Amino acid sequence: MQLTKYVFQPHGDERGQLVALEEYKEVPFKIKRVYYMYDMSPGIVRGRHAHKNLQQILICIHGSCKILLDNGNEKKVVPLEKPYEGLYVANNMWHEMFEFSEGAVLMVLASELYDESDYIRNYEEFLNFYGKQDKE
Ligand code: TYD
């Protein structure tokens, strides 16, 4: 499974750090939507779905968490522990976010507007949609 983890360039000086992300530059797609999650309940798992078209970059801008990526054949767990790291999540990846540290904030840059019909929320349906195609 190909993983793309970005290490963004912080613009640091004596005042602190700043990371800037531009579409088609640091981010390989047009950014149509940004959302973020915070106040996660202890032990909670978020996500648990795949998308038919949506591409995303996940950035844990405060605290840390782990991301499970599953292409139907293979699973990988990627820690996100720095505010300058981003994980690319392709459209065909089942993904789950978990082990959020207290106070963690996970920001997501998304290539499409919110569209519930783009979600695959059932794992069996996901395997039918992607996993079996990959095995042929
Ligand atoms: P949900 O997809 O359940 O979050 P997770 O990624 O953890 O599975 O989204 C939670 C709620 O927020 C749900 O009611 C849909 C809504 N939502 C939007 O309205 N717009 C968005 O861009 C997103 C990602 C979610």
Side-chain angles (χ1 to χ4, degrees):
M1 184 197 300
Q2 168 143 11
L3 279 183
T4 307
K5 194 169 179 182
Y6 295 99
V7 179
F8 304 119
Q9 181 64 60
H11 302 279
D13 59 27
E14 64 284 354
R15 297 168 300 167
Q17 304 292 332
L18 184 154
V19 173
L21 304 174
E22 295 188 10
E23 56 194 21
Y24 302 130
K25 205 171 156 193
E26 292 83 4
V27 174
F29 48 76
K30 182 170 173 62
I31 302 166
K32 287 199 182 165
R33 177 166 53 109
V34 176
Y35 63 92
Y36 48 91
M37 50 193 89
Y38 59 97
D39 267 358
M40 270 68 78
S41 305
I44 204 75
V45 178
R46 299 210 58 140
R48 282 193 167 139
H49 56 245
H51 291 280
K52 295 172 193 163
N53 288 312
L54 184 69
Q55 303 172 72
Q56 305 190 96
I57 291 184
L58 277 50
I59 305 169
C60 197
I61 54 174
H62 187 254
S64 63
C65 67
K66 288 184 176 158
I67 313 296
L68 170 88
L69 292 180
D70 177 350
N71 65 6
N73 294 318
E74 203 184 336
K75 298 180 190 196
K76 282 200 173 147
V77 172
V78 182
L80 286 179
E81 295 171 334
K82 302 286 181 194
Y84 53 78
E85 290 175 346
L87 179 66
Y88 177 72
V89 179
N91 56 317
N92 53 1
M93 284 283 173
W94 185 268
H95 52 285
E96 304 185 1
M97 304 84 136
F98 60 104
E99 282 189 27
F100 292 97
S101 66
E102 198 182 336
V105 181
L106 181 65
M107 184 176 78
V108 182
L109 311 179
S111 68
E112 306 296 334
L113 302 179
Y114 180 69
D115 175 8
E116 186 56 39
S117 71
D118 187 62
Y119 281 71
I120 304 172
R121 293 191 184 272
N122 179 287
Y123 191 70
E124 289 303 313
E125 193 188 329
F126 163 72
L127 290 179
N128 287 331
F129 208 83
Y130 288 112
K132 286 182 184 165
Q133 286 177 23
D134 290 346
K135 281 175 197 155
E136 281 167 9

